[in-house]
Amino acid sequence: MIPRETINQIIETARIEDVVSEFVTLKKRGSNLIGVCPFHKEKTPSFNVNPARNIFKCFGCGKAGDSVRFIMEHEHYSFQEALRYLAKKYGIKIEEREQTPEEIMAQNERERMFNINSFAQKYFSDTMMTTDEGQSVGLAYFHERGFRDAIINKFQLGYCPNSGSAFTEYAIKNGYDKDLLIKVGLTGSYENRLYDRYQGRVIFPIHNLTGKVIGFGGRILTSEKTKAKYVNSPESEIYNKSQTLYGIFFARNEISRLDNCILVEGYADVLSMHQAGIENVVASSGTSLTTEQIRMISRYTKNITILYDGDAAGIHAALRGTNMILEEGMNVRIVVLPPEDDPDTFVQNNPIEYVTKYLTDNAKDFIGFKTNLLLKDAKNDPIKRASVIKDIVETIAVIPDPIYRATYIKECSRTLEMAEQTLTNEVNKILRAKYRKQLGLDPKLDSQLSYQEYQTYQPQQQQVEPKDSTPVGYFQEQELVKLLLAHGSETIELEVSDEDGNNSLVKTTIASAIIDDLKNDGLLFRDPTHKKIFDAFDRGLDAGVLPTAQDFTSSEDQDVAVVAANLLSTQYKLDDWHRHRIVVKTEDDVLSQTVISSILRFKDMVIEDRRSAIMKEMSETTDIDNQLILLQEKKKLDEIRTRINKNLGIVITR
């Protein structure tokens, strides 16, 4: 376990803007920062980072918290894992003794998977660099491919010895569970015999966005036809191929800086380009591009350049997956290499100046590239030409931005030698069918709605239903909790009356004003999370040390952390009216009044709830005496409620 003082040091040191900016491109808006939320699909940024509060909040999906919570949500880490990640980032040393084999077994499975992969990566790298077999086979292969030691070390490449089960035996000896070794794909089992799945292969570790090893790719070095050229890690709790891009950890900062991501196919392509100094490069690792991979790139840039081999298969491969990229609102350009090259050989065989100039001069926008390519294939065949036009129209229709659609329609009208209105009509027909399908209607039937209405149509975000019904007075409680979190330790002046009816001003903290008043009347919060925050301030008053907002936004209690971050966040910014000589009062300017009115509104809610219960009891009882008692209680409540609402300036009409 991490000591409490170290946890506090990590939380206080970790700046939310630094942590989030590693995963999300942030832009300044007033005193806050905004970006596209990494937790749900959105095109308009609703993800806010508040450096002053050291918290984040998405006003689209509702996720909120501090730096630790962000890492937990983004990387699916436990609280302890997130703390270790942040400690490593900020160079904070965690005093923990080395784990015993028994403690390793006791860890949760996900963390144990990360530990096993980290252990394996170090073993494979050390084996290649320090053993005779590793140097003569593995290291020699990478050197022959033109990779220098600096790039080998950067990407943590390695080699698994060709000796049956050397790695597996070493791992088990060091306390790692054989079943988990099999589950993450490092070890195989045949007839109760364990063996190394990567034996005799060079190793390419696969990293997630935070640099943790989540899987491996192993390439065979012989020409045996009975063995697969590549063996990759199986899907697991920490590795999902469709959500992974090779090299993203090493490329993300450069992608953001250059506002462009170069997409290639294989491991070697990424290594060669990084070695040449072109570092905004990732690979789909031979798999078809997925929506999840596209969205990962979109966190850093809206521009993708697809770089593929120059042969016919490579050119047509450039067309696969691009509709998905366009559908996500990304801008796509294609670079086709000379026929004899792939990205690896092209970069290694040419000076870097020539490579960068070639990439710039030969980048074609995807629609234009696809149109010219398909027209070339169709030649003068009218049937093939009609098919090409249909294909292009379907591609244009997936673009979400109407301005971009109109621009491409105009360009394709010229290239295809077809009336612009004809293409527009065909695109509209596809959009109408898509719209009807989203509404659950027959997409084959024509719609009576205009195209302008389709352009403005936006599917509503799915609303998350609350786990339980909202307690009575929830929002009044929420307002008081917000005051405690934002201003609990601040001092205000309140007017109080003594036993003789004399009024005087007294200074008190907002926390004391709220908690003492409610406790004197025997009033408690009903929402359990609100009550936890209320109780924490109550204990703080008794101890003479009030908790801070960060104590709640960084709480290990997820419910408390989320509620605190939500209440301390706002998506609105007050304009600078002072430059127009217009005075606008803020909450800080009227704190005393806000505290009093919030307490009164809460009490009014409690009274109204009790009053409603009394009226229900009166309607259900036939006992005259009981009815009189209830009526008397209702009368007292009505009098109190009238006084409260008079102070609030509310007229009761019933």
Side-chain angles (χ1 to χ4, degrees):
M1 293 293 290
I2 302 174
R4 170 47 61 182
E5 56 270 21
T6 307
I7 292 176
N8 293 339
Q9 183 186 1
I10 294 169
I11 290 171
E12 289 168 6
T13 305
R15 299 306 308 161
I16 189 68
E17 62 270 30
D18 293 340
V19 175
V20 173
S21 63
E22 291 194 358
F23 306 91
V24 180
T25 300
L26 298 172
K27 295 181 179 178
K28 189 81 172 172
R29 177 179 286 178
S31 59
N32 291 347
L33 302 161
I34 64 163
V36 176
C37 180
F39 303 120
H40 80 289
K41 180 181 177 181
E42 66 174 9
K43 292 181 173 63
T44 303
S46 62
F47 185 85
N48 274 249
V49 170
N50 186 328
R53 297 282 187 191
N54 211 25
I55 56 175
F56 73 92
K57 162 74 176 177
C58 177
F59 293 96
C61 66
K63 290 192 182 295
D66 66 344
S67 299
V68 179
R69 187 66 50 188
F70 179 85
I71 295 299
M72 290 173 67
E73 293 282 357
H74 193 280
E75 295 302 302
H76 305 289
Y77 283 177
S78 68
F79 184 73
Q80 296 286 323
E81 287 174 324
L83 288 171
R84 290 190 181 93
Y85 168 83
L86 292 171
K88 182 178 179 181
K89 173 180 172 61
Y90 287 97
I92 298 172
K93 188 176 181 180
I94 297 177
E95 296 291 344
E96 287 186 303
R97 59 182 173 79
E98 189 174 344
Q99 294 173 309
T100 65
E102 291 76 18
E103 288 172 329
I104 292 172
M105 289 292 291
Q107 290 176 322
N108 70 72
E109 186 169 282
R110 181 183 174 82
E111 188 173 359
R112 287 162 58 205
M113 284 181 172
F114 281 122
N115 286 343
I116 284 177
N117 280 347
S118 177
F119 174 83
Q121 176 271 308
K122 291 172 184 174
Y123 173 87
F124 295 142
S125 295
D126 289 345
T127 296
M128 186 170 72
M129 291 298 188
T130 61
T131 68
D132 292 340
E133 181 186 348
Q135 292 175 347
S136 62
V137 181
L139 191 59
Y141 167 78
F142 286 123
H143 285 166
E144 287 170 11
R145 291 293 302 267
F147 299 125
R148 296 187 290 273
D149 286 349
I151 209 73
I152 291 171
N153 292 330
K154 176 180 177 179
F155 283 83
Q156 300 177 334
L157 307 181
Y159 173 75
C160 183
N162 192 21
S163 56
S165 58
F167 164 73
T168 300
E169 291 172 7
Y170 183 71
I172 292 173
K173 182 179 178 181
N174 279 270
Y176 292 95
D177 179 51
K178 68 176 183 180
D179 291 332
L180 208 56
L181 286 166
I182 294 171
K183 192 169 184 178
V184 297
L186 288 164
T187 299
S189 176
Y190 180 72
E191 295 182 347
N192 295 322
R193 183 179 65 84
L194 301 178
Y195 63 91
D196 297 340
R197 285 187 74 235
Y198 297 110
Q199 57 184 283
R201 295 175 182 267
V202 287
I203 306 298
F204 299 86
I206 301 167
H207 302 80
N208 66 7
L209 281 169
T210 61
K212 286 200 171 189
V213 178
I214 56 176
F216 298 93
R219 188 192 192 283
I220 198 169
L221 301 181
T222 64
S223 57
E224 297 178 61
K225 295 182 179 180
T226 57
K227 293 184 178 180
K229 184 177 180 180
Y230 279 94
V231 170
N232 297 305
S233 293
E235 300 275 309
S236 71
E237 190 179 342
I238 63 172
Y239 177 61
N240 186 322
K241 187 183 295 186
S242 67
Q243 298 175 10
T244 303
L245 287 164
Y246 182 72
I248 187 67
F249 171 69
F250 304 101
R252 57 188 181 167
N253 291 336
E254 199 68 359
I255 291 171
S256 181
R257 187 181 74 83
L258 297 175
D259 195 21
N260 184 43
C261 176
I262 298 175
L263 185 64
V264 295
E265 281 193 293
Y267 303 133
D269 298 333
V270 172
L271 297 176
S272 290
M273 296 196 76
H274 272 259
Q275 183 166 268
I278 303 172
E279 298 186 350
N280 58 323
V281 186
V282 297
S284 56
S285 302
T287 63
S288 298
L289 197 63
T290 66
T291 301
E292 291 88 348
Q293 290 170 334
I294 297 166
R295 289 176 185 169
M296 184 182 294
I297 295 172
S298 72
R299 300 176 191 176
Y300 305 100
T301 182
K302 289 295 180 184
N303 303 301
I304 295 181
T305 299
I306 303 179
L307 186 59
Y308 279 116
D309 304 354
D311 58 13
I315 292 173
H316 283 85
L319 303 181
R320 294 197 299 267
T322 42
N323 275 19
M324 283 192 301
I325 302 175
L326 292 170
E327 198 167 7
E328 290 298 316
M330 307 282 278
N331 305 313
V332 191
R333 300 182 76 81
I334 303 290
V335 174
V336 177
L337 297 175
E340 68 277 7
D341 278 314
D342 58 28
D344 174 25
T345 59
F346 182 70
V347 171
Q348 296 223 28
N349 295 336
N350 293 286
I352 185 60
E353 295 79 13
Y354 176 79
V355 171
T356 53
K357 187 176 187 304
Y358 185 94
L359 296 183
T360 302
D361 294 347
N362 291 274
K364 311 292 184 185
D365 79 82
F366 171 67
I367 301 289
F369 170 81
K370 184 175 182 177
T371 303
N372 291 323
L373 177 64
L374 296 183
L375 280 178
K376 184 179 178 181
D377 291 344
K379 297 180 180 177
N380 295 321
D381 187 326
I383 296 176
K384 287 184 178 179
R385 185 179 177 83
S387 177
V388 167
I389 294 171
K390 188 176 186 313
D391 195 336
I392 298 300
V393 165
E394 288 176 349
T395 296
I396 294 174
V398 305
I399 299 172
D401 191 310
I403 295 176
Y404 278 95
R405 283 202 302 266
T407 302
Y408 280 121
I409 287 172
K410 183 180 285 292
E411 180 64 24
C412 287
S413 169
R414 183 186 60 78
T415 306
L416 297 170
E417 298 178 350
M418 177 165 284
E420 186 177 332
Q421 189 58 49
T422 302
L423 294 177
T424 300
N425 291 342
E426 289 302 307
V427 170
N428 292 351
K429 188 185 296 183
I430 294 171
L431 291 174
R432 284 197 296 271
K434 180 181 179 181
Y435 175 72
R436 292 184 64 82
K437 186 176 181 181
Q438 288 172 331
L439 292 179
L441 304 173
D442 186 349
K444 295 180 181 178
L445 298 176
D446 195 16
S447 172
Q448 300 303 310
L449 295 176
S450 68
Y451 177 51
Q452 284 73 25
E453 290 173 296
Y454 287 110
Q455 285 182 310
T456 57
Y457 167 72
Q458 292 290 337
Q460 294 296 312
Q461 287 186 2
Q462 183 178 0
Q463 297 297 315
V464 180
E465 292 296 325
K467 295 178 182 178
D468 303 301
S469 58
T470 304
V472 174
Y474 177 87
F475 297 106
Q476 289 85 351
E477 288 183 8
Q478 193 176 69
E479 185 60 30
L480 289 170
V481 171
K482 181 179 178 181
L483 286 168
L484 288 171
L485 291 168
H487 307 286
S489 61
E490 294 179 36
T491 301
I492 57 174
E493 285 189 336
L494 295 178
E495 189 175 50
V496 297
S497 300
D498 58 23
E499 295 178 355
D500 299 325
N502 299 316
N503 295 332
S504 61
L505 290 175
V506 296
K507 288 187 176 182
T508 183
T509 62
I510 288 176
S512 179
I514 293 173
I515 291 170
D516 291 345
D517 195 312
L518 297 185
K519 286 183 71 177
N520 286 338
D521 288 339
L523 301 178
L524 298 174
F525 288 167
R526 301 183 185 186
D527 179 78
T529 306
H530 292 168
K531 190 174 185 304
K532 289 177 184 177
I533 297 173
F534 181 96
D535 291 344
F537 274 99
D538 190 14
R539 290 192 298 271
L541 287 172
D542 290 340
V545 181
L546 288 173
T548 65
Q550 185 168 299
D551 291 330
F552 297 100
T553 57
S554 300
S555 172
E556 291 186 48
D557 187 320
Q558 182 175 353
D559 293 335
V560 169
V562 170
V563 165
N566 278 329
L567 294 179
L568 290 168
S569 302
T570 178
Q571 62 187 123
Y572 304 110
K573 180 178 77 74
L574 187 65
D575 286 332
D576 184 13
W577 291 102
H578 288 286
R579 60 193 174 94
H580 301 294
R581 297 182 179 178
I582 299 174
V583 177
V584 178
K585 288 186 177 181
T586 65
E587 182 179 76
D588 290 346
D589 298 324
V590 289
L591 263 181
S592 297
Q593 181 182 335
T594 301
V595 171
I596 293 169
S597 62
S598 296
I599 293 173
L600 291 175
R601 288 181 192 280
F602 176 70
K603 290 183 175 181
D604 184 54
M605 173 278 303
V606 174
I607 291 169
E608 173 58 19
D609 184 43
R610 176 57 187 153
R611 182 176 173 277
S612 298
I614 289 173
M615 293 178 69
K616 184 180 179 182
E617 286 183 60
M618 288 174 63
S619 67
E620 293 174 350
T621 183
T622 56
D623 188 315
I624 300 297
D625 291 337
N626 193 27
Q627 281 189 340
L628 289 172
I629 293 171
L630 291 170
L631 187 62
Q632 187 66 23
E633 185 179 352
K634 176 182 174 298
K635 184 180 178 182
K636 289 180 180 179
L637 293 175
D638 286 342
E639 291 172 355
I640 297 171
R641 190 161 184 258
T642 300
R643 289 199 301 271
I644 288 175
N645 284 283
K646 183 179 179 181
N647 290 329
L648 290 171
I650 298 172
V651 177
I652 302 175
T653 58
R654 59 184 176 87

